[in-house]
Amino acid sequence: MPIKADNEEYLTIPEACEYLGGISSQTLRLRARDNHVRAYKQGLTKKIYYRKSDLGRIIAFRPVKKGER
């Protein structure tokens, strides 16, 4: 279940993967590592969350750069 904080919705890794069309958690973590999306933690927990609005930017249409597949 997504959590809400500061008027933003945060998704767990499985929720974020489903939202992005069923990508793997490894792919999501790679996107975070490559700074395509930012990962968040709440308090002292080790649970990772992703802001839904950040994920929306990943799946939005964008022009293809020259040389990009």
Side-chain angles (χ1 to χ4, degrees):
M1 173 174 234
I3 62 170
K4 292 198 178 211
D6 302 326
N7 295 324
E8 288 284 349
E9 193 171 359
Y10 292 84
L11 305 176
T12 61
I13 292 172
E15 292 168 339
C17 290
E18 184 178 330
Y19 178 74
L20 292 172
I23 67 168
S24 70
S25 59
Q26 182 180 7
T27 299
L28 181 58
R29 287 185 175 104
L30 289 172
R31 296 290 180 227
R33 185 194 72 191
D34 295 340
N35 296 317
H36 295 281
V37 66
R38 187 169 179 191
Y40 297 87
K41 290 184 181 181
Q42 181 185 27
L44 299 174
T45 183
K46 292 184 179 181
K47 197 167 192 177
I48 301 290
Y49 295 92
Y50 294 92
R51 191 168 33 189
K52 192 171 183 180
S53 61
D54 291 346
L55 296 173
R57 286 192 283 264
I58 290 177
I59 59 175
F61 284 101
R62 62 178 176 75
V64 178
K65 296 176 185 172
K66 188 175 181 178
E68 184 180 26
R69 290 195 224 168

